[in-house]
Amino acid sequence: MELVFPWMLYIGIPVVLILPFLGFKRRDKFTKGNKVANTGFIEETDLYKKLMNRYKIFSAVALLFLLVAIGVSFVLMARPSKIETITRENRNRDIFLCMDISSSVDELNLAMCDEIRGVIKDLEGERVGISIFNAKSVLMVPLTTDYEYVLEIIDNLEASFEESFIMYDYYYGDGNYTYEDVANIDYDLYNYKYEGTLSDEGSSFIGDGLASCLYSFPDMEEDPDRTRLIIFTTDNELNGTPLVTVDEATDLCKKHNVKVFAIAPENAVDEESFKSNIEKTGGKYYRNTTPGAFDDLVKEIKKTEASVIVETKLLFYDQPQALFIVLVAVLGVYFVISRKVKL
């Protein structure tokens, strides 16, 4: 057991030592009862001496227990605790998953959800976040080390992608799903990914989505050496006029030393230009149909350098129970004895 505030004892010990020697002004003035003369004879009797000796003993014991109670109180104020030192290593790296959630990318996003789970489970202190976009961007998860919460959001997104994929495949795909499948879609799940991302201005604003994700990284100016990267899924199919082009967004990523690792379906629009823009950030571009594409993507992410920050914390576990029991017992004895001598 250690004391969090040991300086309390520097106050308590002198108080306990000095209190017994403090004199109190005696009251010789009678306020109640009758005066008695010629008490000398009584003071010489054996009974009086016996009662006086008992009075002095009880008074001394009562004073002793009172001083013990005061001393224990000071020890309690010094906060007896078990102090545990914990050293934890945090990796100095931030990872954002940025997903184009338009229906044409559902199949790719479903595969990415499976892969990203494995990445997250291997993290050791890195911060991870999720940003999704269509015509507008939504920050689903700010950077955090609460991996359970991140995985919960990924599960929700995966369920939404599954419902959306059924709908998209029924109307535009290979006809693997029937009208009955579409009729049984859970529209709450279907709309989950679209909440806050739709606009009459268009859809799949790729550059806007990437730029919005970029500026979700905190302290880019204050901490430029921190490793930051974005895992980007999109088919690069723009529908409308964005505020930021892909070229401009990747220039911003390069400026802030944020690497972008993008993966796209084989029907990605303007693939060569998109690939060139991604690679200028220092990241890499992958086509999901390439054998081992996801494995290579995960390997590249794990290869990115991440410095280690050693964080030391002191944990205090208060342990007042035993002393509190002693205090209650001592005070109990004091009050019993003090009643005996009517202190």
Side-chain angles (χ1 to χ4, degrees):
M1 182 180 71
E2 299 182 55
L3 300 177
V4 179
F5 307 118
W7 53 267
M8 288 299 302
L9 298 185
Y10 301 144
I11 301 173
I13 292 174
V15 168
V16 172
L17 293 176
I18 292 172
L19 274 178
F21 300 100
L22 291 179
F24 298 94
K25 185 177 180 180
R26 295 181 61 185
R27 292 185 177 181
D28 294 329
K29 183 178 180 181
F30 291 95
T31 57
K32 295 181 180 180
N34 298 317
K35 295 181 180 181
V36 177
N38 303 317
T39 58
F41 174 75
I42 298 175
E43 292 176 356
E44 294 298 325
T45 63
D46 292 337
L47 177 61
Y48 178 85
K49 291 178 180 179
K50 178 181 177 182
L51 292 175
M52 182 55 69
N53 287 335
R54 190 173 70 173
Y55 173 81
K56 290 178 179 179
I57 292 171
F58 278 125
S59 296
V61 173
L63 179 60
L64 175 63
F65 274 89
L66 179 60
L67 293 175
V68 171
I70 293 173
V72 172
S73 297
F74 275 102
V75 177
L76 283 171
M77 287 189 286
R79 193 180 169 186
S81 303
K82 176 184 177 183
I83 302 177
E84 184 177 341
T85 302
I86 294 181
T87 301
R88 183 173 62 182
E89 292 186 353
N90 288 330
R91 295 184 181 276
N92 187 14
R93 178 168 56 182
D94 294 338
I95 302 172
F96 250 113
L97 174 61
C98 184
M99 308 177 85
D100 178 351
I101 52 86
S102 56
S103 296
S104 57
V105 197
D106 284 338
E107 187 173 8
L108 172 61
N109 284 334
L110 281 169
M112 177 53 72
C113 286
D114 283 335
E115 296 297 329
I116 202 67
R117 283 193 186 91
V119 174
I120 292 172
K121 289 176 181 178
D122 288 339
L123 296 180
E124 297 178 359
E126 296 99 325
R127 298 187 300 185
V128 61
I130 302 175
S131 177
I132 63 174
F133 70 91
N134 196 337
K136 298 178 181 178
S137 292
V138 172
L139 181 61
M140 297 288 287
V141 181
L143 287 174
T144 179
T145 55
D146 187 349
Y147 302 138
E148 289 186 8
Y149 177 66
V150 176
L151 291 172
E152 179 183 333
I153 297 301
I154 289 175
D155 289 342
N156 294 340
L157 285 170
E158 183 179 50
S160 185
F161 293 143
E162 288 173 347
E163 300 298 289
S164 179
F165 180 71
I166 293 172
M167 180 80 76
Y168 184 82
D169 187 77
Y170 176 74
Y171 286 106
Y172 306 106
D174 299 329
N176 296 319
Y177 295 94
T178 65
Y179 176 78
E180 184 178 354
D181 294 322
V182 174
N184 290 326
I185 283 178
D186 185 330
Y187 281 91
D188 287 335
L189 287 176
Y190 174 80
N191 290 317
Y192 178 80
K193 67 172 185 172
Y194 290 114
E195 295 294 336
T197 66
L198 300 180
S199 171
D200 295 335
E201 303 297 325
S203 62
S204 293
F205 288 173
I206 318 299
D208 289 358
L210 182 56
S212 295
C213 181
L214 168 67
Y215 284 104
S216 295
F217 286 107
D219 305 325
M220 286 193 294
E221 300 293 341
E222 294 79 1
D223 188 10
D225 296 328
R226 190 178 184 90
T227 302
R228 298 179 175 89
L229 59 93
I230 296 174
I231 305 171
F232 196 38
T233 64
T234 182
D235 59 1
N236 199 38
E237 185 177 353
L238 177 64
N239 180 21
T241 305
L243 296 174
V244 182
T245 65
V246 173
D247 186 35
E248 292 170 335
T250 50
D251 280 341
L252 289 170
C253 290
K254 181 180 179 181
K255 175 184 176 182
H256 293 287
N257 196 28
V258 176
K259 295 180 180 180
V260 181
F261 294 86
I263 188 162
E266 60 180 346
N267 60 339
V269 175
D270 199 7
E271 185 178 44
E272 286 304 316
S273 174
F274 182 66
K275 176 181 178 182
S276 176
N277 281 316
I278 294 299
E279 290 179 345
K280 73 182 177 185
T281 68
K284 289 192 175 183
Y285 171 83
Y286 300 89
R287 185 189 289 180
N288 72 325
T289 54
T290 302
F294 282 103
D295 290 338
D296 291 342
L297 171 62
V298 171
K299 287 177 183 177
E300 284 297 325
I301 292 169
K302 291 181 178 179
K303 280 168 56 178
T304 56
E305 294 182 1
S307 58
V308 175
I309 300 175
V310 178
E311 182 181 17
T312 301
K313 288 185 178 181
L314 289 178
L315 298 182
F316 296 88
Y317 301 96
D318 290 339
Q319 296 181 321
Q321 298 89 342
L323 285 173
F324 183 76
I325 293 172
V326 171
L327 177 61
V328 171
V330 169
L331 286 175
V333 173
Y334 166 76
F335 282 115
V336 169
I337 297 177
S338 64
R339 292 298 296 171
K340 283 283 187 181
V341 293
K342 293 184 170 31
L343 293 177

